[in-house]
């Protein structure tokens, strides 16, 4: 069964829905609605990773996310914590998170892998070359999918050295993170290099700039069109080996996956 991770941004400044769900009760209600629409996991984040975003203190992040995670987990919903911070990861697991989604792949906080190893949580290791405020300065590749795969392999080795069993690992090639425009398409076309690592693969294209640029050649494309483009890319990613996709609009992606499955018989 393909996983659909529904995004719950408990932030004032995320690039797409920042501010909509900063109130915990609204965030919880949104998560419940995403679950009803077909989300298999809810990915809760309290710090924006949009291009140019600045870091927030871990205490602020935890004030945002922990009440939401606790309430969603209490309803039996599988929850992931989207964080760079080891302290937030551990606190989130204590209140019910089952997965730690670190888009930095343990690079932002050197204590991350050791902290996760002491828990029972799985970990999604993202490909990352630097913080959001200057990540595009690192968007230089000769063969993007092979280089991303190689760098993810290094992060997987670090996780294993910290005591995290291979069965607990998920890899994410980090679409949009230190990758500009066409590089994201090149990475998706080279998804075989990522699946060849032998771990579950998580893909997140949701509402990202490169989708809008491919529709009209500009970033100013409305949310509904970005969601349609997300659903298409998510279905294609699953066709080429993704284990799960991370999206804002769960219903659209659920329907796209159902149609793709029907096509394949």
């Amino acid at each position: 069964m393909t996983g659909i991770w529904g995004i719950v941004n408990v932030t004032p400044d995320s690039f797409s829905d920042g501010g909509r769900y900063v109130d915990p009760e609204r965030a919880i209600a949104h998560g419940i609605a995403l679950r009803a629409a077909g989300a298999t996991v809810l990915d809760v984040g309290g710090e924006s990773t949009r291009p140019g975003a600045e870091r927030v203190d871990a205490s602020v992040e935890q004030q945002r996310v922990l009440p939401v995670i606790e309430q969603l987990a209490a309803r039996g919903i599988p929850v992931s914590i989207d964080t760079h911070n080891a302290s937030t990861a551990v606190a989130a697991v204590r209140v019910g998170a089952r997965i730690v989604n670190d888009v930095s792949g343990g690079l932002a906080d050197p204590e991350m892998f050791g902290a996760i190893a002491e828990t029972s949580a799985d970990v999604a290791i993202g490909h990352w070359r630097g913080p959001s405020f200057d990540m595009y300065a690192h968007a230089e590749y000769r063969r993007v999918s092979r280089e991303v795969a190689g760098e993810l392999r290094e992060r997987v080795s670090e996780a294993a050295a910290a005591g995290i069993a291979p069965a607990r690992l998920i890899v994410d090639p980090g679409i949009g993170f230190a990758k500009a425009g066409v590089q994201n398409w090149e990475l998706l076309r080279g998804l075989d290099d990522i699946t060849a690592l032998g771990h579950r693969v998580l893909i997140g294209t949701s509402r990202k700039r490169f989708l809008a640029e491919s529709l009209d050649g500009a970033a100013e494309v409305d949310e509904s069109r970005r969601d349609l483009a997300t659903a298409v890319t998510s279905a294609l990613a699953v066709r080429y080996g993704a284990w799960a996709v991370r999206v804002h609009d769960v219903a659209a992606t659920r329907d796209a996956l159902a149609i793709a499955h029907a096509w394949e018989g």
Side-chain angles (χ1 to χ4, degrees):
M1 176 180 172
T2 301
I4 304 177
W5 290 28
I7 298 169
V8 182
N9 286 324
V10 194
T11 59
D13 59 343
S14 290
F15 80 94
S16 176
D17 55 3
R20 291 187 197 175
Y21 309 112
V22 71
D23 175 74
E25 292 305 317
R26 292 191 68 184
I28 293 164
H30 181 56
I32 292 169
L34 290 177
R35 177 67 167 175
T40 55
V41 172
L42 297 179
D43 193 39
V44 179
E47 177 180 351
S48 176
T49 55
R50 63 178 173 79
E54 297 290 339
R55 299 299 308 272
V56 301
D57 188 81
S59 63
V60 174
E61 180 188 32
Q62 290 169 32
Q63 288 170 10
R64 293 172 178 174
V65 300
L66 295 183
V68 177
I69 292 170
E70 185 171 24
Q71 288 299 312
L72 293 173
R75 290 168 168 80
I77 302 173
V79 177
S80 167
I81 172 62
D82 179 0
T83 184
H84 297 93
N85 295 307
S87 62
T88 299
V90 170
V93 172
R94 285 176 180 158
V95 298
R98 302 184 192 179
I99 303 170
V100 176
N101 179 18
D102 181 358
V103 298
S104 83
L107 289 169
D109 186 340
E111 297 183 4
M112 179 65 85
F113 288 156
I116 297 172
E118 298 300 317
T119 75
S120 60
D122 288 356
V123 55
I125 296 174
H127 177 262
W128 194 76
R129 284 187 168 181
S132 295
F133 68 83
D134 74 342
M135 63 181 173
Y136 291 130
H138 307 285
E140 296 184 6
Y141 304 89
R142 291 186 178 181
R143 173 76 182 270
V144 61
S145 60
R146 288 185 180 176
E147 291 176 58
V148 168
E151 290 169 32
L152 281 173
R153 188 177 294 109
E154 293 176 3
R155 304 315 304 148
V156 165
S157 295
E158 288 288 332
I164 302 174
R168 295 169 59 189
L169 300 179
I170 302 159
V171 294
D172 178 349
I175 301 296
F177 289 92
K179 298 160 194 82
V182 69
Q183 291 171 338
N184 296 293
W185 293 115
E186 292 171 355
L187 180 53
L188 289 169
R189 285 194 290 270
L191 198 56
D192 284 353
D193 289 325
I194 311 302
T195 59
L197 294 172
H199 298 282
R200 294 169 288 173
V201 176
L202 173 66
I203 295 291
T205 63
S206 193
R207 297 180 181 170
K208 291 186 176 178
R209 178 185 294 266
F210 81 105
L211 297 178
E213 290 173 343
S214 295
L215 293 174
D216 281 343
E220 290 74 25
V221 171
D222 68 45
E223 191 172 281
S224 64
R225 294 183 68 195
R226 289 189 185 220
D227 284 335
L228 177 57
T230 299
V232 173
T233 52
S234 295
L236 288 169
V238 170
R239 173 67 179 80
Y240 287 95
W243 163 78
V245 291
R246 180 181 181 276
V247 301
H248 294 85
D249 187 336
V250 168
T253 295
R254 177 202 63 204
D255 290 350
L257 292 175
I259 295 301
H261 181 70
W263 180 297
E264 294 175 354

